[in-house]
Amino acid sequence: MELNALDQEFMHSGHVGCPGCGAAIAMRFFLKALGDKTIMVLPACCWSVIAGPYPQSTLKIPLIHSAFETGGAVASGVRAALDMKGDRETTVVTWAGDGGTFDIGFQALSGAVERNEDFIYVCYDNEAYMNTGIQRSSSTPYGAWTTTTPGTDWKKLRKKNIVEALVAHRIPYAATANIAFPEDLVRKAQKAKSIKGSRFIHVYASCPTGWRIPSEMSIKIARMAVQTNIFPLYEVEDGLRYTINYKPKEYLVREYFRLQGRFRHLTDKDLDQIQEMVNEDWELLLRKAGEHA
Amino acid sequence: MAGSKVQKIDIPLFMPRSYMSTEVNKTGSWRFLRPRYDEKTAPCSAACPAGEDIARIEMLTTQGLFKEAWETILKENPFPAVCGRVCFHPCEGVCNRGEFDTAVAIHVMERFLAETALRYDLKPLLEQSPGKKEKVAIVGAGPSGLSAACFLNRLGYACDVFEAASEPGGILRWGIPEYRLPLPALRSEIARIESAGVRIITNKRLPADFAVGAKGNYDAVFIGCGHGRTTMLRIPGEDSSGVEDGLEFLNRIRRGAKPPVDGLSAVIGGGNTAVDVARSILRLGGKAVILYRRRRQDMPAFQEEVEMALEEGVELKELLAPARIVKDRKGLLITMRPMKVAGEDESGRGRVEPAGGKTQEFRVRRVFKATGAEAVEEWLNPPGRQRNVLLLENCVLVNRAKGPAVVFGGDLTNETKSVAHAVASGKAAAIALDTFFREGFKAVRSRLKSCAVGNGKALSMEIYMGGERRLRNPHVVRFGEINTDYFHFAPRITQPRLMKEERLNTFKEIDLKISANLAIREAERCFNCGVCNRCDNCYLFCPDLSVIREQDLVGRHVNYDYCKGCGLCVVECPRNAMTLEEEKR
Ligand SMILES: Cc1cc2nc3c(=O)[nH]c(=O)nc-3n(C[C@H](O)[C@H](O)[C@H](O)COP(=O)(O)OP(=O)(O)OC[C@H]3O[C@@H](n4cnc5c(N)ncnc54)[C@H](O)[C@@H]3O)c2cc1C
Ligand SMILES: Cc1ncc(C[n+]2csc(CCOP(=O)(O)OP(=O)(O)O)c2C)c(N)n1
Ligand code: SF4
Ligand code: SF4
Ligand SMILES: [Mg+2]
């Protein structure tokens, strides 16, 4: 893999992420791509814990722990402070979970990107509030078990399409990325870094603990999310120009669901229905990219 | 509190700021599974009679390290230019890639590497043991004898090879036609063996009592005289003029003659000799029909050769056994008895028996016998089971009470008669004799076992000589153990060939050379089953930064201080070069 060039590490071992944590892998790749001239804003999420208890830090770059709902606002402030100091070189990155992005942090994020604040907002998506014990979020996919959607009350609502919500703000750059596709991820991080204004990257980050999957499967499952079109890899420039980065062959969503404990209760009929939803989303994306199915 | 004076206290702004890393947390204590680097055995290498380290050869080829790849072949097989052409490549039959799309064209790569070495006149650098005092005589300079000499030489023994013919090579020189094995390819390999210090004495047919008389001059004798005489048909009319010996016919062609073959010739048999005779007849301007007692799929000749023969115009008549040959004014009349299939033998080959019914007659100018071959003289056959005899895989070791030990090998002992098996004989004999000299007769069998590739029949000289390969786990990697997410469908290389029309009037080599580009692309199809190719997946995907690459970037190790045992490295290793096992603390 070409990533050998990115030999430098900006993370330390000894963090307390769960074995096989996708969010830890996502961070490692991003920092390799962005380099040490980066300040990170970290609203409450699993990463608040992974980053280490005071006085430890697992990152070799400065990071600011912030309140859960403030990722967009704090980053705007950090950017303004750097500007006042005349530092145009440092990249400001908000690193937030799906809860902190899709739900509680959404207004701060929407406000910041509406002002086209100059920062990168990364949402690492593990599809629930994992840090506090697997509560559902608006990112939790249709069909999933969580502690707040237990038993037969599994989530029967669709996952919010966050990238489209950001695209609607007409920001300069919005993209999806996935830990199983490091080359694509690193390219997008570097591309985002080279663009001015608000940039948003939605990273799929598997969670062995919350998804009830074996730790060694977290990359495999992340890869399948792309292969099945459940999590397509694409990027949108200026809210208009869509590029689909990966066109999978026909894989069935069924195989992705079968591997995860959080979907164990789904029947064949449910899975057929989910397949239709995925197909529908994919066709919509194709249409937006001007590539009719 | 209206009017009261508020005291202003200066509280300094305090932001807690971390000042140490997380490395104090030894998260390795969480681990209950332990990943480790554990290179394994590729199925192809276990199926290769010479035990070549194919996964590594292909890996080096993709890196453009052609010399190193070629040397990796030479460690186990001194005949890559020959085997890349004529070996029936059992390796490809078990290639894991075959379950994905199509097997890797291993033999094409082997030939490419040999060709490249020849083109650039490369000199191999191979491990060489210090000189030993014992001397070994080798009877017969076929592939088995030459391999024995080559490997014994590498183990430090002086070897003299005695060959009855005017030039070494055995069947490779005097049997297999040039359109399959051109002379320069063979000569370059033999020259390399000689330049390593092996002495070859040609035009020297050794007598039956040689081994007895060798005492004093030699400490052991290897007998690899091959099966040089065609077996009899045992039918009336076999001695008629016009009934010829297939081996003898091929031999005449390789000596430079152009035997007359006008009209139609019948070739009796179904092995490589039969097919080579028939195809040579076409090239000399004649017509040929192969008469075989079983079916096409039962022919011991390589299917690809049969296919090309038919394409060139050879006719094949199946399920016909010869009954008699009659010579008359118009030529030969050969009567064939129809056969029928009656079950299968253990190897799946059809068993046949007379079907009764009408015989068929063929009017031909000549009949070529190519039904099989046997030792020219009785003394060349190895003895059966006895106390002082070890019946080994591909060779037989005789510990004679008086005089030097004797090893029989090559076609004389091998169940499957092929060049690669002849090489295997030479290697087994070399290891057996070295062990015999150093540790005694009793140690031989277990020593051979200890250098088996993947606990199979093939032996590895590299393992025997203590090379890195001895660290491989003998577990043979299965297709299910490959992470195919990292591989994409890619068509197998098509061997460029002379067109049918171009082949018919010459003995020019049919298979053409391939470019380095194509070779690399084909080598890239290889999964490198069980062998680390330094793709770095393990390093990349580790969430705990616990895969450490050594300074040279070649080696890697796991930092167990922090590895939590998630197992991602093991699952994401595309080629099963790692293992996850229970943590035993
Ligand atoms: C026509 C033909 C085509 C073949 N094609 C293929 C093929 O495509 N692929 C494949 O893998 N195998 C093929 N084979 C089989 C393969 O050639 C043999 O298995 C292999 O050559 C056996 O090697 P060997 O060293 O045992 O004997 P040989 O190659 O037969 O060599 C024996 C040597 O010993 C010499 N010799 C014999 N007696 C004495 C003596 N008393 N003193 C001194 N020297 C003596 C002979 O002159 C000869 O040079 C083919 C065989 C034939 C006949
Ligand atoms: C205002 C507020 N409400 C609740 C919390 C408790 N809290 C901390 S992290 C978290 C969940 C975060 O979920 P998400 O953003 O998806 O990140 P994850 O933990 O899944 O990585 C919650 C509810 C908080 N810190 N602040
Ligand atoms: S893929 Fe490569 S290493 Fe694996 S069996 Fe085939 S040739 Fe051998
Ligand atoms: S993942 Fe790649 S680098 Fe790591 S052991 Fe496997 S082949 Fe070697
Ligand atoms: Mg979350």
Tab-separated table of all heavy atoms in Angstrom, chain A residues 136-181:
chain	number	residue	atom	x	y	z
A	136	ARG	N	-29.365	4.648	21.154
A	136	ARG	CA	-29.553	4.928	19.724
A	136	ARG	C	-29.373	6.409	19.456
A	136	ARG	O	-29.629	7.270	20.287
A	136	ARG	CB	-30.917	4.436	19.225
A	136	ARG	CG	-32.143	5.126	19.822
A	136	ARG	CD	-32.468	6.370	19.081
A	136	ARG	NE	-33.549	6.212	18.133
A	136	ARG	CZ	-34.014	7.226	17.416
A	136	ARG	NH1	-33.501	8.450	17.541
A	136	ARG	NH2	-34.996	7.044	16.582
A	137	SER	N	-28.912	6.728	18.240
A	137	SER	CA	-28.814	8.113	17.784
A	137	SER	C	-29.568	8.192	16.469
A	137	SER	O	-30.077	7.177	15.971
A	137	SER	CB	-27.354	8.513	17.572
A	137	SER	OG	-26.855	7.908	16.391
A	138	SER	N	-29.615	9.380	15.879
A	138	SER	CA	-30.270	9.447	14.565
A	138	SER	C	-29.365	8.879	13.477
A	138	SER	O	-29.721	8.829	12.313
A	138	SER	CB	-30.693	10.877	14.231
A	138	SER	OG	-29.569	11.738	14.260
A	139	SER	N	-28.199	8.410	13.890
A	139	SER	CA	-27.322	7.724	12.942
A	139	SER	C	-27.493	6.207	13.017
A	139	SER	O	-27.043	5.472	12.145
A	139	SER	CB	-25.869	8.083	13.247
A	139	SER	OG	-25.007	7.274	12.519
A	140	THR	N	-28.117	5.746	14.087
A	140	THR	CA	-28.319	4.289	14.220
A	140	THR	C	-29.146	3.796	13.032
A	140	THR	O	-30.173	4.388	12.710
A	140	THR	CB	-29.046	3.983	15.539
A	140	THR	OG1	-28.263	4.513	16.617
A	140	THR	CG2	-29.247	2.496	15.733
A	141	PRO	N	-28.690	2.747	12.365
A	141	PRO	CA	-29.389	2.318	11.149
A	141	PRO	C	-30.701	1.586	11.455
A	141	PRO	O	-30.894	1.064	12.549
A	141	PRO	CB	-28.396	1.383	10.480
A	141	PRO	CG	-27.553	0.865	11.583
A	141	PRO	CD	-27.475	1.947	12.617
A	142	TYR	N	-31.542	1.582	10.482
A	142	TYR	CA	-32.780	0.816	10.524
A	142	TYR	C	-32.448	-0.632	10.861
A	142	TYR	O	-31.562	-1.222	10.251
A	142	TYR	CB	-33.485	0.905	9.166
A	142	TYR	CG	-34.801	0.169	9.100
A	142	TYR	CD1	-36.002	0.845	9.293
A	142	TYR	CD2	-34.843	-1.201	8.842
A	142	TYR	CE1	-37.218	0.169	9.235
A	142	TYR	CE2	-36.049	-1.882	8.787
A	142	TYR	CZ	-37.238	-1.197	8.992
A	142	TYR	OH	-38.424	-1.862	8.934
A	143	GLY	N	-33.144	-1.164	11.836
A	143	GLY	CA	-32.957	-2.588	12.142
A	143	GLY	C	-32.085	-2.860	13.340
A	143	GLY	O	-32.048	-3.978	13.834
A	144	ALA	N	-31.393	-1.821	13.859
A	144	ALA	CA	-30.379	-2.105	14.872
A	144	ALA	C	-30.956	-2.205	16.273
A	144	ALA	O	-31.845	-1.454	16.661
A	144	ALA	CB	-29.301	-1.033	14.836
A	145	TRP	N	-30.369	-3.141	17.013
A	145	TRP	CA	-30.570	-3.202	18.447
A	145	TRP	C	-29.655	-2.161	19.098
A	145	TRP	O	-28.516	-1.971	18.684
A	145	TRP	CB	-30.202	-4.594	18.960
A	145	TRP	CG	-29.908	-4.617	20.447
A	145	TRP	CD1	-30.810	-4.874	21.422
A	145	TRP	CD2	-28.650	-4.344	21.088
A	145	TRP	NE1	-30.199	-4.782	22.649
A	145	TRP	CE2	-28.877	-4.457	22.485
A	145	TRP	CE3	-27.377	-4.009	20.624
A	145	TRP	CZ2	-27.867	-4.248	23.425
A	145	TRP	CZ3	-26.366	-3.798	21.555
A	145	TRP	CH2	-26.606	-3.918	22.956
A	146	THR	N	-30.157	-1.421	20.097
A	146	THR	CA	-29.309	-0.654	21.022
A	146	THR	C	-29.944	-0.812	22.397
A	146	THR	O	-31.031	-1.402	22.508
A	146	THR	CB	-29.251	0.853	20.677
A	146	THR	OG1	-30.560	1.415	20.855
A	146	THR	CG2	-28.776	1.101	19.253
A	147	THR	N	-29.337	-0.252	23.418
A	147	THR	CA	-29.937	-0.400	24.753
A	147	THR	C	-31.226	0.402	24.877
A	147	THR	O	-32.046	0.145	25.756
A	147	THR	CB	-28.953	0.006	25.872
A	147	THR	OG1	-28.510	1.335	25.608
A	147	THR	CG2	-27.769	-0.928	25.930
A	148	THR	N	-31.411	1.382	24.006
A	148	THR	CA	-32.680	2.119	24.039
A	148	THR	C	-33.638	1.667	22.939
A	148	THR	O	-34.737	2.197	22.805
A	148	THR	CB	-32.438	3.637	23.919
A	148	THR	OG1	-31.560	3.871	22.820
A	148	THR	CG2	-31.805	4.187	25.184
A	149	THR	N	-33.213	0.735	22.125
A	149	THR	CA	-34.119	0.101	21.155
A	149	THR	C	-33.963	-1.411	21.329
A	149	THR	O	-33.522	-2.105	20.426
A	149	THR	CB	-33.793	0.502	19.704
A	149	THR	OG1	-32.395	0.231	19.458
A	149	THR	CG2	-34.078	1.958	19.430
A	150	PRO	N	-34.332	-1.923	22.525
A	150	PRO	CA	-34.056	-3.333	22.825
A	150	PRO	C	-35.135	-4.261	22.272
A	150	PRO	O	-36.224	-3.808	21.899
A	150	PRO	CB	-34.065	-3.344	24.355
A	150	PRO	CG	-35.048	-2.272	24.725
A	150	PRO	CD	-34.974	-1.217	23.647
A	151	GLY	N	-34.819	-5.518	22.277
A	151	GLY	CA	-35.797	-6.564	21.956
A	151	GLY	C	-36.534	-6.293	20.664
A	151	GLY	O	-35.939	-5.974	19.629
A	152	THR	N	-37.856	-6.393	20.753
A	152	THR	CA	-38.655	-6.203	19.540
A	152	THR	C	-38.778	-4.724	19.172
A	152	THR	O	-39.314	-4.388	18.127
A	152	THR	CB	-40.080	-6.771	19.737
A	152	THR	OG1	-40.600	-6.205	20.938
A	152	THR	CG2	-40.047	-8.285	19.841
A	153	ASP	N	-38.293	-3.870	20.069
A	153	ASP	CA	-38.344	-2.434	19.773
A	153	ASP	C	-37.118	-1.941	19.019
A	153	ASP	O	-36.739	-0.778	19.134
A	153	ASP	CB	-38.489	-1.642	21.084
A	153	ASP	CG	-39.884	-1.756	21.658
A	153	ASP	OD1	-40.822	-1.958	20.862
A	153	ASP	OD2	-40.019	-1.676	22.896
A	154	TRP	N	-36.516	-2.829	18.267
A	154	TRP	CA	-35.334	-2.421	17.496
A	154	TRP	C	-35.690	-1.244	16.589
A	154	TRP	O	-36.850	-1.030	16.244
A	154	TRP	CB	-34.758	-3.579	16.695
A	154	TRP	CG	-35.742	-4.434	15.926
A	154	TRP	CD1	-36.386	-5.547	16.381
A	154	TRP	CD2	-36.197	-4.233	14.574
A	154	TRP	NE1	-37.202	-6.066	15.414
A	154	TRP	CE2	-37.100	-5.278	14.288
A	154	TRP	CE3	-35.915	-3.293	13.583
A	154	TRP	CZ2	-37.740	-5.404	13.052
A	154	TRP	CZ3	-36.548	-3.419	12.344
A	154	TRP	CH2	-37.452	-4.469	12.101
A	155	LYS	N	-34.687	-0.490	16.224
A	155	LYS	CA	-34.951	0.782	15.564
A	155	LYS	C	-35.648	0.588	14.210
A	155	LYS	O	-35.145	-0.101	13.339
A	155	LYS	CB	-33.654	1.571	15.374
A	155	LYS	CG	-33.944	2.974	14.830
A	155	LYS	CD	-32.731	3.873	14.775
A	155	LYS	CE	-33.097	5.145	14.005
A	155	LYS	NZ	-31.967	6.008	13.715
A	156	LYS	N	-36.793	1.233	14.064
A	156	LYS	CA	-37.553	1.068	12.826
A	156	LYS	C	-37.597	2.370	12.041
A	156	LYS	O	-38.534	2.624	11.275
A	156	LYS	CB	-38.963	0.564	13.149
A	156	LYS	CG	-38.909	-0.809	13.850
A	156	LYS	CD	-40.204	-1.554	13.879
A	156	LYS	CE	-40.066	-2.889	14.585
A	156	LYS	NZ	-39.697	-2.781	16.021
A	157	LEU	N	-36.598	3.180	12.248
A	157	LEU	CA	-36.489	4.444	11.506
A	157	LEU	C	-35.169	4.451	10.761
A	157	LEU	O	-34.205	3.831	11.176
A	157	LEU	CB	-36.533	5.629	12.481
A	157	LEU	CG	-37.848	5.788	13.250
A	157	LEU	CD1	-37.672	6.775	14.401
A	157	LEU	CD2	-38.960	6.239	12.313
A	158	ARG	N	-35.156	5.180	9.679
A	158	ARG	CA	-33.941	5.224	8.872
A	158	ARG	C	-32.843	6.039	9.535
A	158	ARG	O	-33.120	6.918	10.331
A	158	ARG	CB	-34.242	5.904	7.533
A	158	ARG	CG	-34.833	4.982	6.511
A	158	ARG	CD	-35.067	5.783	5.259
A	158	ARG	NE	-35.609	4.943	4.217
A	158	ARG	CZ	-35.022	4.788	3.026
A	158	ARG	NH1	-33.916	5.438	2.734
A	158	ARG	NH2	-35.573	4.004	2.135
A	159	LYS	N	-31.641	5.744	9.098
A	159	LYS	CA	-30.485	6.546	9.517
A	159	LYS	C	-30.559	7.885	8.799
A	159	LYS	O	-30.884	7.948	7.616
A	159	LYS	CB	-29.218	5.786	9.110
A	159	LYS	CG	-27.897	6.453	9.400
A	159	LYS	CD	-26.755	5.588	8.804
A	159	LYS	CE	-25.417	6.289	8.933
A	159	LYS	NZ	-24.609	5.768	10.038
A	160	LYS	N	-30.274	8.942	9.543
A	160	LYS	CA	-30.257	10.278	8.924
A	160	LYS	C	-29.101	10.353	7.910
A	160	LYS	O	-28.012	9.860	8.189
A	160	LYS	CB	-30.054	11.335	10.007
A	160	LYS	CG	-30.053	12.765	9.493
A	160	LYS	CD	-29.552	13.745	10.559
A	160	LYS	CE	-30.561	13.965	11.666
A	160	LYS	NZ	-30.068	14.953	12.672
A	161	ASN	N	-29.353	10.972	6.785
A	161	ASN	CA	-28.265	11.118	5.807
A	161	ASN	C	-27.531	12.427	6.072
A	161	ASN	O	-27.872	13.487	5.562
A	161	ASN	CB	-28.811	11.085	4.384
A	161	ASN	CG	-27.690	10.974	3.373
A	161	ASN	OD1	-26.577	11.420	3.620
A	161	ASN	ND2	-27.985	10.364	2.226
A	162	ILE	N	-26.506	12.339	6.887
A	162	ILE	CA	-25.839	13.548	7.376
A	162	ILE	C	-25.073	14.273	6.272
A	162	ILE	O	-25.002	15.501	6.241
A	162	ILE	CB	-24.920	13.212	8.582
A	162	ILE	CG1	-24.486	14.489	9.307
A	162	ILE	CG2	-23.712	12.430	8.143
A	162	ILE	CD1	-25.593	15.157	10.079
A	163	VAL	N	-24.481	13.477	5.363
A	163	VAL	CA	-23.687	14.134	4.305
A	163	VAL	C	-24.588	15.008	3.450
A	163	VAL	O	-24.245	16.153	3.123
A	163	VAL	CB	-22.941	13.090	3.454
A	163	VAL	CG1	-22.215	13.759	2.297
A	163	VAL	CG2	-21.942	12.336	4.323
A	164	GLU	N	-25.792	14.489	3.138
A	164	GLU	CA	-26.711	15.285	2.320
A	164	GLU	C	-27.147	16.543	3.065
A	164	GLU	O	-27.323	17.602	2.465
A	164	GLU	CB	-27.923	14.447	1.926
A	164	GLU	CG	-27.578	13.304	0.982
A	164	GLU	CD	-26.775	13.754	-0.228
A	164	GLU	OE1	-27.164	14.743	-0.893
A	164	GLU	OE2	-25.724	13.133	-0.495
A	165	ALA	N	-27.290	16.430	4.388
A	165	ALA	CA	-27.653	17.609	5.174
A	165	ALA	C	-26.556	18.668	5.084
A	165	ALA	O	-26.827	19.868	4.968
A	165	ALA	CB	-27.886	17.213	6.625
A	166	LEU	N	-25.318	18.231	5.109
A	166	LEU	CA	-24.200	19.178	4.999
A	166	LEU	C	-24.077	19.708	3.579
A	166	LEU	O	-23.787	20.882	3.354
A	166	LEU	CB	-22.905	18.498	5.436
A	166	LEU	CG	-22.521	18.602	6.924
A	166	LEU	CD1	-22.245	20.061	7.276
A	166	LEU	CD2	-23.577	18.050	7.851
A	167	VAL	N	-24.302	18.821	2.622
A	167	VAL	CA	-24.242	19.235	1.212
A	167	VAL	C	-25.261	20.336	0.969
A	167	VAL	O	-25.001	21.299	0.238
A	167	VAL	CB	-24.501	18.024	0.281
A	167	VAL	CG1	-24.798	18.468	-1.144
A	167	VAL	CG2	-23.296	17.086	0.304
A	168	ALA	N	-26.402	20.237	1.643
A	168	ALA	CA	-27.443	21.254	1.489
A	168	ALA	C	-26.947	22.629	1.929
A	168	ALA	O	-27.492	23.649	1.523
A	168	ALA	CB	-28.685	20.847	2.284
A	169	HIS	N	-25.891	22.656	2.776
A	169	HIS	CA	-25.296	23.937	3.173
A	169	HIS	C	-24.347	24.481	2.108
A	169	HIS	O	-23.765	25.538	2.289
A	169	HIS	CB	-24.509	23.775	4.480
A	169	HIS	CG	-25.348	23.530	5.703
A	169	HIS	ND1	-26.019	22.337	5.931
A	169	HIS	CD2	-25.635	24.315	6.776
A	169	HIS	CE1	-26.660	22.405	7.090
A	169	HIS	NE2	-26.459	23.607	7.611
A	170	ARG	N	-24.175	23.712	1.055
A	170	ARG	CA	-23.272	24.118	-0.035
A	170	ARG	C	-21.859	24.408	0.453
A	170	ARG	O	-21.236	25.402	0.074
A	170	ARG	CB	-23.814	25.369	-0.753
A	170	ARG	CG	-25.097	25.124	-1.531
A	170	ARG	CD	-24.785	24.472	-2.856
A	170	ARG	NE	-25.991	24.286	-3.646
A	170	ARG	CZ	-26.325	25.041	-4.696
A	170	ARG	NH1	-25.576	26.040	-5.057
A	170	ARG	NH2	-27.419	24.777	-5.357
A	171	ILE	N	-21.347	23.542	1.331
A	171	ILE	CA	-19.981	23.736	1.813
A	171	ILE	C	-19.003	23.313	0.718
A	171	ILE	O	-19.348	22.543	-0.178
A	171	ILE	CB	-19.717	22.956	3.113
A	171	ILE	CG1	-20.028	21.460	2.932
A	171	ILE	CG2	-20.535	23.565	4.254
A	171	ILE	CD1	-19.659	20.624	4.140
A	172	PRO	N	-17.765	23.805	0.784
A	172	PRO	CA	-16.811	23.517	-0.292
A	172	PRO	C	-16.538	22.024	-0.478
A	172	PRO	O	-16.310	21.575	-1.589
A	172	PRO	CB	-15.528	24.228	0.142
A	172	PRO	CG	-15.917	25.195	1.203
A	172	PRO	CD	-17.219	24.737	1.785
A	173	TYR	N	-16.549	21.267	0.643
A	173	TYR	CA	-16.163	19.861	0.488
A	173	TYR	C	-16.871	19.009	1.526
A	173	TYR	O	-16.848	19.305	2.727
A	173	TYR	CB	-14.646	19.710	0.654
A	173	TYR	CG	-14.124	18.316	0.346
A	173	TYR	CD1	-14.224	17.788	-0.940
A	173	TYR	CD2	-13.540	17.531	1.341
A	173	TYR	CE1	-13.745	16.511	-1.226
A	173	TYR	CE2	-13.055	16.257	1.066
A	173	TYR	CZ	-13.161	15.759	-0.219
A	173	TYR	OH	-12.692	14.494	-0.512
A	174	ALA	N	-17.518	17.957	1.047
A	174	ALA	CA	-18.117	16.970	1.939
A	174	ALA	C	-17.796	15.601	1.362
A	174	ALA	O	-17.821	15.418	0.144
A	174	ALA	CB	-19.622	17.170	2.030
A	175	ALA	N	-17.458	14.646	2.232
A	175	ALA	CA	-17.071	13.325	1.719
A	175	ALA	C	-17.367	12.254	2.750
A	175	ALA	O	-17.471	12.535	3.947
A	175	ALA	CB	-15.582	13.321	1.378
A	176	THR	N	-17.499	11.036	2.272
A	176	THR	CA	-17.549	9.886	3.166
A	176	THR	C	-16.212	9.169	3.087
A	176	THR	O	-15.513	9.262	2.075
A	176	THR	CB	-18.653	8.902	2.758
A	176	THR	OG1	-18.349	8.404	1.459
A	176	THR	CG2	-20.021	9.565	2.741
A	177	ALA	N	-15.851	8.470	4.139
A	177	ALA	CA	-14.614	7.685	4.143
A	177	ALA	C	-14.838	6.481	5.047
A	177	ALA	O	-15.836	6.423	5.779
A	177	ALA	CB	-13.445	8.520	4.645
A	178	ASN	N	-13.911	5.527	4.977
A	178	ASN	CA	-14.121	4.272	5.688
A	178	ASN	C	-12.773	3.702	6.099
A	178	ASN	O	-11.819	3.718	5.300
A	178	ASN	CB	-14.862	3.312	4.736
A	178	ASN	CG	-15.219	1.997	5.384
A	178	ASN	OD1	-14.360	1.281	5.893
A	178	ASN	ND2	-16.503	1.667	5.359
A	179	ILE	N	-12.684	3.208	7.317
A	179	ILE	CA	-11.401	2.719	7.823
A	179	ILE	C	-10.864	1.533	7.043
A	179	ILE	O	-9.673	1.249	7.090
A	179	ILE	CB	-11.490	2.325	9.316
A	179	ILE	CG1	-12.671	1.369	9.542
A	179	ILE	CG2	-11.602	3.558	10.205
A	179	ILE	CD1	-12.640	0.699	10.897
A	180	ALA	N	-11.715	0.847	6.294
A	180	ALA	CA	-11.225	-0.296	5.524
A	180	ALA	C	-10.633	0.145	4.189
A	180	ALA	O	-10.101	-0.671	3.441
A	180	ALA	CB	-12.348	-1.297	5.279
A	181	PHE	N	-10.731	1.436	3.899
A	181	PHE	CA	-10.193	1.964	2.644
A	181	PHE	C	-9.215	3.103	2.960
A	181	PHE	O	-9.487	4.264	2.676
A	181	PHE	CB	-11.324	2.446	1.730
A	181	PHE	CG	-12.209	1.332	1.254
A	181	PHE	CD1	-13.216	0.815	2.070
A	181	PHE	CD2	-12.013	0.761	-0.001
A	181	PHE	CE1	-14.015	-0.245	1.642
A	181	PHE	CE2	-12.813	-0.290	-0.441
A	181	PHE	CZ	-13.823	-0.791	0.381
